[in-house]
Amino acid sequence: MENLTQLFIEAGTLMLVGMVFVYTFLGLLVLIINKFLAPLAKAYPDPVLQPKRKPSTTKTLSTEGVSPSVVAAISAAVSTYRQQNKKS
Amino acid sequence: MENLTQLFIEAGTLMLVGMVFVYTFLGLLVLIINKFLAPLAKAYPDPVLQPKRKPSTTKTLSTEGVSPSVVAAISAAVSTYRQQNKKS
Amino acid sequence: MENLTQLFIEAGTLMLVGMVFVYTFLGLLVLIINKFLAPLAKAYPDPVLQPKRKPSTTKTLSTEGVSPSVVAAISAAVSTYRQQNKKS
Amino acid sequence: MELLNTLWLSTGLAHFEFGQVVMMSVGAILLYLAIVRNFEPLLLLPMGFGAILTNIPLAGFTEAGGLLHYIYEVGISTGVFPLLIFMGVGAMTDFGALIANPKVLLLGAAAQLGIFATLFGAIALNVIPGIEFTLKDASAIAIIGGADGPTAIFLASKLAPELLGAIAVAAYSYMALVPIIQPPIMRALTNVDERKIEMEQLRHVTKVEKVIFPLAVLLMTIFFLPAATPLVGMFCLGNLMRESGVVDRLSATAQNELINITTIFLGLGVGSKLSAEKFLNVETLGILALGAVAFSIGTAGGVLMAKLMNKFSKTPINPLIGAAGVSAVPMAARVANKVGLEANPHNFLLMHAMGPNVAGVLGSAVAAGILLALVG
Amino acid sequence: MELLNTLWLSTGLAHFEFGQVVMMSVGAILLYLAIVRNFEPLLLLPMGFGAILTNIPLAGFTEAGGLLHYIYEVGISTGVFPLLIFMGVGAMTDFGALIANPKVLLLGAAAQLGIFATLFGAIALNVIPGIEFTLKDASAIAIIGGADGPTAIFLASKLAPELLGAIAVAAYSYMALVPIIQPPIMRALTNVDERKIEMEQLRHVTKVEKVIFPLAVLLMTIFFLPAATPLVGMFCLGNLMRESGVVDRLSATAQNELINITTIFLGLGVGSKLSAEKFLNVETLGILALGAVAFSIGTAGGVLMAKLMNKFSKTPINPLIGAAGVSAVPMAARVANKVGLEANPHNFLLMHAMGPNVAGVLGSAVAAGILLALVG
Amino acid sequence: MELLNTLWLSTGLAHFEFGQVVMMSVGAILLYLAIVRNFEPLLLLPMGFGAILTNIPLAGFTEAGGLLHYIYEVGISTGVFPLLIFMGVGAMTDFGALIANPKVLLLGAAAQLGIFATLFGAIALNVIPGIEFTLKDASAIAIIGGADGPTAIFLASKLAPELLGAIAVAAYSYMALVPIIQPPIMRALTNVDERKIEMEQLRHVTKVEKVIFPLAVLLMTIFFLPAATPLVGMFCLGNLMRESGVVDRLSATAQNELINITTIFLGLGVGSKLSAEKFLNVETLGILALGAVAFSIGTAGGVLMAKLMNKFSKTPINPLIGAAGVSAVPMAARVANKVGLEANPHNFLLMHAMGPNVAGVLGSAVAAGILLALVG
Ligand code: NA
Ligand code: NA
Ligand code: NA
């Protein structure tokens, strides 16, 4: 049983040392992020990318939200027609 | 020549035993499929999937089959224009 | 210093032999290409492939270059409207 | 006649031992869990299959010259396969949620209580006759509480290779069982009001932070725990490849083909340790029991720590996200999100739980390093 | 002057032996067959290239420290590469057609006559002076009749590594020649009415069946022929990964990158066995002759069995699909389809021929297992 | 207390040596160059990371059983990794521009002056106390002038493994510096009129030519320089897989996943040679100095040869494309294009410079073969 007691003591110490170490390690990491990384974010912000306007590929079924090309086409067609009508 | 005869006997036996074994093995597999797998097919049929109707992405060049959004846009544009004309 | 002189002589010879060999090797390759490969090009020309005309998938935002389906739809809509107006 | 006898003796039927039949059933159960129950199939499918192959009489898969023997020796006893998996996992990990709210690292620390308490428990099991765990064995078993497969396999291959099969089975099974194990514990330790707590939206994390972060983690590991640098180092290498943006083709390969190839081999190789003589004993039962304890204590540790932090924090912390500190990425984070939604249908905790979730990976790698340094 | 002499002595021209020149021509012929005639290019291209590299004087590709030496020792003498290929092939195989009409398994059995008759033939060749085939040699040669590359390479590496080069060349060459070898035999053994027979549409096979099937095959192999479990097991693992649907990323990698990488190395490694002293002898001629015999007998066996079955079957069986039982997937099935269309332009046999085709893969893996068990 | 001491002794802080700190800084600088300056990141990122891992006290990455030890022994000391990279590069190389205008091969030959002059220079450095380069060392250093990473690593691993780290660092650094090193030399050796020279459009190259070309190169290497066949052979195998069009899946894998996996390991393995005792000495400074000389002389050699050829050629040759003969594909070709555009905004030299660029790869592989044959 002596041996087992010895093992228990070792395991208990290991538990204690281990948890303290893990907390210390990750706690230090919290500090590092707060002290060094977060300021970096302000010093080197991400470059503002002009959001490449991807031609929207969503298909809309309602009248609202029609794609710009369609609207442009219709405006052109309608105004052309209006002018033709005026002339006549 | 004795040695060769011996080899021939061994090769012949191997041929016989081999073919019998292959037939037995694959024949048993036939049985297993018929007795065990085929009934499984009835017990656990494939789930009937609602065929996901993908929005059709084909582009049409004729007037028929124009995509709904375009039709909606045009209807709206034309009816707007019609109302404006009426007012004037 | 004797040893170093010896090394210099070896290095010099190596430089000479190496450059001559590289030139000879790649020079021979020039010959081979001119004498053997180039004639092969005439003997076995590439088969002429009918270029598969991919349907153009570019989307345009300006009125010009509106996709054919949109134009077709608008023409149809407008001409329909025109006829309706005439009748009324 | 002699040939027929040879033929009979070359069938499996003539040579089956009881233990092999049982172990092939274990393999079949693993396949069932993987395929039907969708329990961590990426590893349990090849592992279950490997377990079956290993126990085929006469086939010699694990003897010198056998396929699984080569796989094990090349990739697992050297530790190479778990490290490559770890590199791939690093390349798949986004530390954004953690960098945005770094104090959740403490949740990842708290959940490692599962590991160290289990170590104590494993030693305690020595009172049972038939079980004799050394401190090395106990450490290898305890790492199950890290809820991280490659870490468990790596440590077990170094400290207790003869227990590797049981440890890997326990680790992956309980990882798959996280949605069953965790919620009762989470509900027992919190009240509804706590579970309803909504957290503030996370700030944007810049590219520079994400590139520096793996290097900072590596540097700290070098300073304080070199024994953890194989695991942490490969993880950080993968993450750096991902975030640097200059080696996208390497990052893509590490996340896909390389990790896939390695996973197939890792599963088969671990399965090769599921032989009757190594698995069918009371120690395996002990390991399975300890694994459940480890996950439970880890979960409790994370939740209680989160409750404590919520008391002192300026911004509110939902204690449920503490449970994600055990890692089991991303399952535990999803569980936190689900339990949170039950209490408050507008409370989306997923992103907040990803922080402690990846912190848990770091935490258990650090714990593995401590065990290697002090026990190995 | 001395340096110039050293330079001359370091050219290949100063060291060529006649055998090397001949073997490099053999390599060039393999490249020609692969590139211009499209004969099994995936393996014949690297194999032909490997044959050329192997025979370069002074380059030492197959000596200790040489690239091909490493490839051969790591992947071929261990059997690892053919087994990985087999896993990939399993992941690419759809057993649906076979499960829907299981009696075609008997066609896959019948076509293995090509293997066992060739074994007898190889022993018979011993009457020719200069040829001395042991039973092991004869078995390794006979497996050419299996019309399955990885099986042939695996068995040859175990039973007769010194014949591996000739056996692999024969196996892949005749597999590529299937569209030339099979049709005359098929036409000779059937009449037009038989070739016109239309077969009933196959029933739908469910996912559950497809998942259970590889496990059933593995179980039978374990019971009756453990010696075949390396080949059959890896094949079934690949197929299970495919059909289970839970590890799609592993299945995709096994079917693509992993099998591609292995194929490059397998081809180079096999090519390294195409050295003059191992290939340029009368035994190689014997092997090439026996290979043609093996494919012919296998084809005939399948067709005749199909004719026999057609007499007793309730549903009609077109005898042409018996020829697909030699495997050579999917070439032999396409040949059956093509010859069928000649007789009846509305008769599409492709799906029906896929059943015996994949049955043939199982059949020759089983045959390889028998040879390993009884002769190895 | 004892445990705390063990814990302290297991931190890195207790064991750091000065050399290790310096070498980790070197690794950090390589990472900086890769990530921020975009210097050959595919190799410098894993190499820099490997350098850091290698120098971690207690971690044992390069000791028996360590990850980097395995990687180095398996892939670099055998020469396998550089050869696989070379196969992938071959599969990515289009020789069209070279076949269309074959005389640019002479530019690729001229640029190899960088190699052989540096060999002489390395021997000359022996006058400096503390530097003692043997002819083998000098040859391994000289190959930096080939401006080709895998060739340099392959040759260094054969001739001077203890210098491998410094040689690889120099080779990749100067390759990345090509846009800075070359333009001043190019401008100094040419006048504006020469730089304005427009070249005729290249003829179309057929598929047959492209398929025969790698075989012709291989045949010549077999005849005249077998020692170069490992490098040239694997390169030609990759190119043949690409151009033959019959093994597209193998070619795709060689160009992507296989080369990516190998690159990660090659970088780590080379990094493992960046240990203090092997790198921190006056020889490394010598190597870095010689590398700059090598690139400069190679560039000058190519440009001067192009000027000479322009005098005798029927069709005009812009001397700038001679600089691309050092290889450093495709950077050097882009530099030639850029400098050309400065003098004449309508002068697009890129395609014309690709010819000498790929010729330079062949040229330095041939030079490596010569060094192996005469010095190795
Ligand atoms: Na964890
Ligand atoms: Na077969
Ligand atoms: Na070069």
Side-chain angles (χ1 to χ4, degrees):
Chain A
M1 248 8 222
E2 203 174 351
N3 185 28
L4 197 57
T5 317
Q6 177 62 24
L7 268 178
F8 268 114
I9 294 172
E10 288 190 61
T13 324
L14 213 56
M15 178 159 68
L16 195 74
V17 171
M19 283 309 290
V20 169
F21 193 97
V22 168
Y23 265 102
T24 314
F25 191 97
L26 296 183
L28 264 171
L29 209 48
V30 177
L31 271 182
I32 287 174
I33 293 174
N34 283 331
K35 295 291 168 201
F36 297 104
L37 282 190
L40 274 178
K42 272 157 210 156
Y44 303 96
D46 280 352
V48 181
L49 293 170
Q50 290 291 8
K52 287 182 212 155
R53 257 198 279 159
K54 270 196 202 159
S56 110
T57 53
T58 50
K59 307 243 164 169
T60 52
L61 283 167
S62 62
T63 314
E64 300 93 322
V66 165
S67 80
S69 65
V70 171
V71 169
I74 288 161
S75 311
V78 168
S79 75
T80 308
Y81 176 64
R82 207 183 282 183
Q83 289 189 325
Q84 287 175 338
N85 265 18
K86 273 179 192 167
K87 279 168 195 169
S88 64
Chain B
M1 248 10 222
E2 204 174 350
N3 185 27
L4 197 57
T5 316
Q6 178 62 22
L7 268 178
F8 267 113
I9 293 172
E10 288 190 62
T13 323
L14 214 58
M15 177 158 69
L16 195 74
V17 170
M19 283 309 290
V20 169
F21 193 98
V22 169
Y23 265 104
T24 313
F25 190 97
L26 296 183
L28 264 172
L29 209 49
V30 177
L31 271 182
I32 287 173
I33 294 175
N34 283 332
K35 295 290 167 201
F36 297 102
L37 282 191
L40 275 178
K42 274 158 210 156
Y44 303 96
D46 280 353
V48 181
L49 294 170
Q50 291 291 8
K52 289 182 211 156
R53 257 196 280 158
K54 270 195 202 162
S56 110
T57 55
T58 48
K59 308 240 165 169
T60 51
L61 284 167
S62 62
T63 313
E64 299 92 322
V66 164
S67 79
S69 66
V70 170
V71 168
I74 289 161
S75 311
V78 168
S79 74
T80 309
Y81 176 63
R82 208 184 282 184
Q83 289 187 326
Q84 289 173 337
N85 264 17
K86 273 180 191 164
K87 280 169 192 168
S88 66
Chain C
M1 255 359 230
E2 203 174 351
N3 185 27
L4 196 57
T5 316
Q6 178 61 24
L7 268 178
F8 268 113
I9 293 172
E10 288 190 62
T13 323
L14 214 56
M15 177 157 69
L16 194 74
V17 171
M19 283 309 290
V20 169
F21 193 96
V22 168
Y23 265 102
T24 313
F25 189 96
L26 295 183
L28 264 171
L29 209 48
V30 177
L31 270 183
I32 287 175
I33 293 174
N34 283 332
K35 295 291 167 202
F36 297 104
L37 282 189
L40 274 178
K42 274 159 210 156
Y44 302 97
D46 281 353
V48 181
L49 294 170
Q50 291 290 8
K52 290 182 212 157
R53 255 197 281 160
K54 270 196 202 161
S56 113
T57 54
T58 48
K59 307 239 167 167
T60 52
L61 283 167
S62 62
T63 314
E64 298 94 322
V66 165
S67 79
S69 65
V70 171
V71 167
I74 289 161
S75 310
V78 168
S79 75
T80 307
Y81 176 64
R82 205 184 284 184
Q83 288 189 328
Q84 289 173 337
N85 265 18
K86 273 181 191 163
K87 278 170 194 167
S88 63
Chain D
M1 211 54 235
E2 205 181 320
L3 194 84
L4 279 182
N5 194 38
T6 310
L7 195 66
W8 164 246
L9 287 177
S10 65
T11 66
L13 293 174
H15 292 271
F16 262 115
E17 291 162 26
F18 180 69
Q20 291 171 328
V21 176
V22 177
M23 287 314 295
M24 290 173 78
S25 312
V26 170
I29 292 169
L30 293 178
L31 289 181
Y32 168 83
L33 294 177
I35 297 172
V36 182
R37 307 295 295 269
N38 218 18
F39 272 26
E40 297 280 338
L42 290 175
L43 206 98
L44 288 194
L45 191 148
M47 197 194 293
F49 210 93
I52 294 176
L53 295 182
T54 297
N55 288 284
I56 302 175
L58 304 185
F61 273 96
T62 54
E63 285 159 30
L67 179 65
L68 299 184
H69 171 80
Y70 289 125
I71 290 175
Y72 186 85
E73 291 302 324
V74 167
I76 302 187
S77 81
T78 61
V80 170
F81 288 164
L83 293 178
L84 292 182
I85 303 263
F86 232 56
M87 180 174 73
V89 172
M92 289 193 256
T93 299
D94 180 351
F95 278 114
L98 189 149
I99 300 172
N101 189 15
K103 60 179 171 292
V104 297
L105 275 162
L106 299 180
L107 301 177
Q112 307 316 318
L113 186 62
I115 293 178
F116 293 103
T118 304
L119 197 163
F120 199 82
I123 292 299
L125 278 194
N126 278 341
V127 301
I128 299 176
I131 292 188
E132 268 187 59
F133 291 137
T134 65
L135 215 52
K136 283 192 183 189
D137 296 341
S139 303
I141 295 165
I143 203 68
I144 297 172
D148 187 274
T151 302
I153 293 171
F154 183 78
L155 198 73
S157 73
K158 300 287 178 195
L159 296 182
E162 73 289 354
L163 301 178
L164 176 61
I167 289 172
V169 166
Y172 280 95
S173 302
Y174 290 124
M175 277 163 68
L177 287 170
V178 150
I180 294 169
I181 297 176
Q182 289 198 319
I185 301 170
M186 293 158 78
R187 288 193 202 101
L189 296 177
T190 54
N191 58 45
V192 174
D193 285 338
E194 286 169 331
R195 295 203 289 277
K196 278 184 179 168
I197 295 175
E198 294 189 17
M199 293 179 67
E200 290 178 7
Q201 215 198 321
L202 295 172
R203 74 169 172 89
H204 174 72
V205 173
T206 63
K207 195 196 153 186
V208 171
E209 291 176 278
K210 288 188 178 177
V211 172
I212 301 284
F213 181 73
L215 293 170
V217 172
L218 177 64
L219 202 69
M220 282 198 50
T221 315
I222 292 172
F223 282 164
F224 300 115
L225 195 57
T229 46
L231 279 169
V232 174
M234 290 309 278
F235 190 84
C236 291
L237 171 58
N239 195 246
L240 185 65
M241 294 200 300
R242 170 201 183 87
E243 300 297 354
S244 69
V246 292
V247 290
D248 287 344
R249 57 183 293 164
L250 303 187
S251 169
T253 293
Q255 289 179 47
N256 291 291
E257 291 77 21
L258 183 52
I259 201 171
N260 290 347
I261 293 172
T262 313
T263 300
I264 294 174
F265 290 146
L266 184 73
L268 286 172
V270 169
S272 79
K273 283 289 163 183
L274 294 180
S275 62
E277 64 271 24
K278 280 182 193 138
F279 194 86
L280 292 184
N281 49 45
V282 67
E283 295 188 339
T284 296
L285 293 179
I287 290 171
L288 288 172
L290 287 165
V293 172
F295 271 68
S296 305
I297 296 181
T299 304
V303 172
L304 293 174
M305 183 70 191
K307 288 181 73 162
L308 184 71
M309 283 170 66
N310 188 37
K311 295 229 168 85
F312 297 97
S313 171
K314 274 171 290 181
T315 57
I317 293 173
N318 189 313
L320 294 176
I321 71 167
V326 298
S327 42
V329 185
M331 189 81 86
R334 282 196 204 134
V335 167
N337 188 56
K338 188 159 159 277
V339 177
L341 281 175
E342 286 167 14
N344 174 354
H346 302 293
N347 197 2
F348 294 95
L349 294 172
L350 189 62
M351 278 316 292
H352 299 284
M354 285 311 295
N357 212 193
V358 297
V361 176
L362 292 181
S364 44
V366 169
I370 296 170
L371 295 174
L372 272 177
L374 298 187
V375 181
Chain E
M1 211 56 234
E2 207 182 320
L3 195 85
L4 278 182
N5 195 36
T6 309
L7 195 67
W8 164 246
L9 286 177
S10 65
T11 65
L13 293 173
H15 292 271
F16 263 115
E17 290 162 27
F18 180 68
Q20 291 171 327
V21 176
V22 176
M23 287 315 295
M24 290 172 79
S25 312
V26 170
I29 291 170
L30 293 178
L31 289 181
Y32 168 82
L33 294 176
I35 296 172
V36 182
R37 307 296 295 269
N38 218 18
F39 272 26
E40 297 281 336
L42 291 174
L43 207 98
L44 288 193
L45 191 149
M47 197 195 293
F49 211 92
I52 294 176
L53 296 182
T54 297
N55 288 284
I56 302 175
L58 305 184
F61 273 96
T62 54
E63 286 158 29
L67 179 66
L68 299 184
H69 171 80
Y70 289 125
I71 291 176
Y72 185 86
E73 291 302 324
V74 167
I76 301 188
S77 81
T78 61
V80 170
F81 288 164
L83 293 178
L84 292 182
I85 301 262
F86 231 56
M87 180 173 74
V89 172
M92 288 195 256
T93 298
D94 181 351
F95 278 115
L98 189 150
I99 299 172
N101 189 15
K103 61 179 170 293
V104 298
L105 275 162
L106 299 180
L107 300 177
Q112 306 317 316
L113 186 62
I115 292 177
F116 293 104
T118 304
L119 197 163
F120 199 82
I123 293 299
L125 278 195
N126 278 342
V127 301
I128 299 176
I131 293 187
E132 267 188 58
F133 290 136
T134 66
L135 215 53
K136 283 192 184 190
D137 296 342
S139 303
I141 296 165
I143 203 68
I144 297 172
D148 187 274
T151 302
I153 292 170
F154 182 78
L155 199 73
S157 74
K158 299 288 177 194
L159 295 183
E162 73 288 354
L163 301 177
L164 176 61
I167 289 172
V169 165
Y172 280 95
S173 301
Y174 290 124
M175 277 164 68
L177 287 171
V178 149
I180 294 169
I181 296 176
Q182 289 199 319
I185 300 170
M186 293 157 78
R187 289 193 202 101
L189 294 177
T190 53
N191 58 45
V192 174
D193 285 339
E194 286 169 329
R195 296 202 288 277
K196 278 183 180 168
I197 294 175
E198 295 189 16
M199 293 180 68
E200 290 179 6
Q201 216 198 320
L202 294 173
R203 75 170 173 89
H204 174 72
V205 173
T206 63
K207 196 197 152 186
V208 171
E209 292 176 278
K210 287 188 177 178
V211 172
I212 301 285
F213 182 74
L215 294 170
V217 171
L218 177 64
L219 202 68
M220 282 198 50
T221 315
I222 291 172
F223 282 165
F224 300 116
L225 195 57
T229 47
L231 279 169
V232 174
M234 292 308 280
F235 190 85
C236 290
L237 172 58
N239 195 247
L240 184 66
M241 294 200 300
R242 170 203 183 85
E243 300 296 355
S244 69
V246 293
V247 290
D248 287 344
R249 56 183 293 163
L250 303 187
S251 169
T253 294
Q255 290 177 49
N256 291 290
E257 291 77 20
L258 183 53
I259 201 172
N260 290 347
I261 293 172
T262 314
T263 300
I264 295 173
F265 289 146
L266 184 73
L268 287 172
V270 169
S272 80
K273 283 289 164 183
L274 294 180
S275 62
E277 63 273 25
K278 281 183 191 135
F279 194 85
L280 291 184
N281 49 47
V282 66
E283 295 189 338
T284 295
L285 293 178
I287 289 171
L288 288 172
L290 287 166
V293 172
F295 270 68
S296 305
I297 296 182
T299 305
V303 173
L304 292 174
M305 183 70 191
K307 286 182 73 163
L308 184 70
M309 283 171 66
N310 189 36
K311 293 231 169 85
F312 296 98
S313 170
K314 275 171 287 182
T315 57
I317 293 173
N318 189 314
L320 295 176
I321 70 168
V326 298
S327 40
V329 185
M331 189 82 86
R334 282 196 205 135
V335 167
N337 188 55
K338 188 158 159 278
V339 177
L341 282 175
E342 286 168 14
N344 174 354
H346 303 292
N347 197 1
F348 294 94
L349 293 173
L350 189 62
M351 279 314 293
H352 299 285
M354 284 312 295
N357 212 194
V358 296
V361 176
L362 292 181
S364 44
V366 168
I370 296 171
L371 295 174
L372 272 177
L374 297 187
V375 180
Chain F
M1 210 54 236
E2 205 182 319
L3 195 84
L4 278 182
N5 195 36
T6 309
L7 196 66
W8 164 247
L9 287 177
S10 65
T11 66
L13 293 172
H15 292 271
F16 262 114
E17 290 162 25
F18 180 68
Q20 292 171 327
V21 177
V22 176
M23 287 315 295
M24 290 172 79
S25 313
V26 169
I29 291 168
L30 293 178
L31 289 182
Y32 168 83
L33 293 177
I35 296 172
V36 182
R37 308 295 295 269
N38 218 17
F39 273 26
E40 297 280 337
L42 290 175
L43 208 97
L44 287 193
L45 190 149
M47 197 195 293
F49 210 93
I52 294 176
L53 296 183
T54 297
N55 288 285
I56 302 175
L58 305 184
F61 274 96
T62 54
E63 286 159 28
L67 179 66
L68 299 184
H69 171 81
Y70 289 126
I71 291 175
Y72 185 85
E73 290 302 324
V74 167
I76 302 189
S77 82
T78 62
V80 170
F81 287 165
L83 293 179
L84 292 182
I85 302 263
F86 231 55
M87 180 174 72
V89 172
M92 287 194 257
T93 298
D94 180 350
F95 278 115
L98 188 149
I99 299 172
N101 189 15
K103 59 180 171 293
V104 297
L105 275 163
L106 298 180
L107 301 176
Q112 307 317 318
L113 186 62
I115 292 178
F116 293 103
T118 304
L119 197 163
F120 199 82
I123 292 299
L125 278 194
N126 278 341
V127 301
I128 299 176
I131 291 187
E132 268 187 56
F133 291 136
T134 65
L135 215 51
K136 283 193 183 189
D137 295 342
S139 303
I141 296 164
I143 202 69
I144 297 172
D148 187 275
T151 302
I153 292 170
F154 182 79
L155 199 74
S157 74
K158 299 287 177 194
L159 296 183
E162 74 287 355
L163 301 178
L164 176 62
I167 289 172
V169 166
Y172 281 94
S173 302
Y174 290 123
M175 277 163 67
L177 287 170
V178 149
I180 295 169
I181 297 175
Q182 289 198 320
I185 301 170
M186 293 157 80
R187 289 194 202 99
L189 295 177
T190 54
N191 57 45
V192 174
D193 285 338
E194 286 169 330
R195 296 203 288 278
K196 277 185 179 166
I197 295 176
E198 295 190 15
M199 293 181 66
E200 290 179 6
Q201 215 200 320
L202 294 172
R203 74 169 173 91
H204 174 72
V205 172
T206 63
K207 196 198 153 186
V208 171
E209 291 176 280
K210 287 188 177 177
V211 172
I212 301 285
F213 182 74
L215 294 169
V217 171
L218 177 64
L219 202 68
M220 282 198 51
T221 315
I222 292 172
F223 282 165
F224 300 116
L225 195 57
T229 47
L231 279 169
V232 173
M234 292 308 280
F235 191 84
C236 289
L237 171 59
N239 194 247
L240 184 65
M241 294 200 299
R242 170 203 183 85
E243 300 297 355
S244 67
V246 292
V247 291
D248 287 344
R249 56 183 293 163
L250 303 187
S251 169
T253 294
Q255 289 179 49
N256 291 290
E257 291 77 22
L258 183 51
I259 202 171
N260 290 347
I261 293 172
T262 312
T263 301
I264 294 174
F265 290 146
L266 183 73
L268 287 172
V270 169
S272 80
K273 284 287 165 185
L274 293 181
S275 61
E277 63 272 25
K278 282 183 190 135
F279 194 87
L280 292 183
N281 49 47
V282 67
E283 296 189 339
T284 295
L285 293 178
I287 290 171
L288 289 172
L290 287 166
V293 171
F295 271 68
S296 305
I297 296 182
T299 303
V303 173
L304 292 174
M305 183 70 191
K307 287 182 72 161
L308 184 71
M309 282 171 66
N310 188 36
K311 293 231 169 85
F312 297 96
S313 170
K314 276 171 289 182
T315 58
I317 293 173
N318 188 313
L320 294 176
I321 70 166
V326 296
S327 43
V329 183
M331 190 81 85
R334 283 196 204 135
V335 168
N337 187 56
K338 188 158 160 277
V339 178
L341 281 174
E342 286 167 14
N344 173 355
H346 302 293
N347 197 1
F348 293 96
L349 292 173
L350 189 62
M351 280 313 293
H352 298 286
M354 283 312 295
N357 212 194
V358 296
V361 176
L362 293 180
S364 44
V366 168
I370 296 170
L371 295 174
L372 271 177
L374 298 187
V375 181

